[in-house]
């Protein structure tokens, strides 16, 4: 059944959806009748009854942890994501990169970036690492985690019994924030739909968020590293459903960013504990452990 019949409204909505598509956002969902009721309810007041405490609707979160896409897209035929048409993950990632283009969607494009740092690695990796954004070395070479922090990440990957090319590595923002500052909320919000699409193509079993910025952006949870670490979260990329019904999302674990470990090497042991938790979940043999 068509959602909106009025052609003028339909045209206006289509225009708005095209705008969202340009931002890299493609999936839209109909609110279920049950949730409409849930929102309408607080407005009902019984005359003469004492005032009710304020009832707030929970802040909408981008997170995949809590977002469970409804079954029916509002405009099922309008502008599917380009990569949705291809099964080959290499080609799909290439289409996302092409869609990103010479991106000017957020202010980081005019704050000294040399190039966009898209992502690198095995497009069918079981394990994916996500950092916050490129630094100077990454900006110069166009690849995530290639400086000193990258070297440490490589060592972490090696300690897990893997090679760098076995995993997929990306960042929340794809352009270097000036002076290596933390990417701002609007920059993360603008860029992260492309990361979500990359995750939906790679379909990793586990994502390791490197550092609090990556973790908070992926999970939409504002918590300390102490609270974020040491457990798995269920993760389904928001606004970007996988095209593979057999992929039910990834487990997400949080550990320290390698750049932080360079400043505080005492935390390397804690990081190794996090990685061992991941290896155990994936059924990988822990180094030095007998069968
Ligand atoms: S950080 Fe992302 S959204 Fe911002 S300009 Fe770079 S690629 Fe575009």
């Amino acid at each position: 059944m068509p959602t909106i019949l009025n052609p003028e409204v339909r045209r206006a909505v289509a225009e708005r959806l095209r705008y969202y598509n340009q931002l890299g956002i493609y999936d839209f969902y109909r609110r279920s009748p049950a949730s409409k009721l849930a929102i309408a309810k607080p407005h009902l007041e019984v005359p003469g009854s004492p005032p009710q405490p304020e009832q707030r609707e929970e802040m909408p979160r981008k997170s995949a942890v809590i977002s469970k896409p409804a079954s029916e897209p509002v405009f099922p035929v309008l502008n599917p994501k380009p990569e949705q048409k291809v099964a080959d993950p290499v080609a799909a990632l290439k289409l996302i990169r092409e869609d990103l283009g010479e991106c000017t969607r957020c202010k980081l494009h005019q704050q000294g970036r040399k190039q966009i740092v898209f992502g690198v690695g095995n497009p069918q990796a079981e394990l994916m690492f996500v950092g916050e954004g490129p630094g100077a070395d990454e900006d110069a070479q166009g690849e995530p985690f290639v400086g000193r922090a990258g070297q440490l990440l490589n060592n972490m990957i090696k300690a897990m019994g893997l090679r760098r090319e076995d995993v997929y590595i990306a960042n929340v923002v794809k352009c270097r924030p000036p002076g290596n500052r933390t990417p701002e909320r609007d920059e993360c919000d603008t860029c992260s739909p492309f990361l979500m699409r990359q995750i939906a193509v790679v379909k990793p079993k586990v994502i390791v968020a490197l550092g609090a910025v990556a973790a908070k952006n992926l999970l939409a949870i504002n918590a300390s590293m102490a609270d974020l670490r040491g457990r798995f979260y269920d993760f389904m990329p928001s606004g970007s459903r996988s095209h593979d019904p057999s992929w039910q999302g990834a487990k997400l674990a949080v550990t320290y960013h390698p750049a932080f470990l360079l400043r505080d090497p005492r935390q390397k042991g804690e990081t190794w504990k996090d990685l061992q938790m991941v290896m155990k979940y994936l059924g990988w043999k822990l180094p030095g452990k007998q069968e």
Side-chain angles (χ1 to χ4, degrees), residues 8 13 37 82 114 119 148 186 201 236 238 249 253 261:
E8 240 174 67
V13 173
L37 277 176
K114 288 197 176 73
R148 280 181 66 223
D186 61 313
V201 166
M236 177 64 83
S238 59
L261 295 176

Side-chain angles (χ1 to χ4, degrees), residues 100 103-109 113 116 173-175 187 190-191 194:
L100 193 59
C103 184
T104 57
R105 291 172 179 86
C106 86
K107 60 184 179 297
L108 285 180
H109 84 278
R113 81 163 182 217
I116 289 170
V173 295
K174 302 191 184 313
C175 299
E187 296 158 357
T190 308
C191 203
F194 292 93

Side-chain angles (χ1 to χ4, degrees), residues 106-127:
C106 86
K107 60 184 179 297
L108 285 180
H109 84 278
Q110 53 189 7
Q111 297 194 352
R113 81 163 182 217
K114 288 197 176 73
Q115 56 190 312
I116 289 170
V117 180
F118 183 65
V120 71
N122 180 355
Q124 294 177 295
E126 291 193 329
L127 178 59

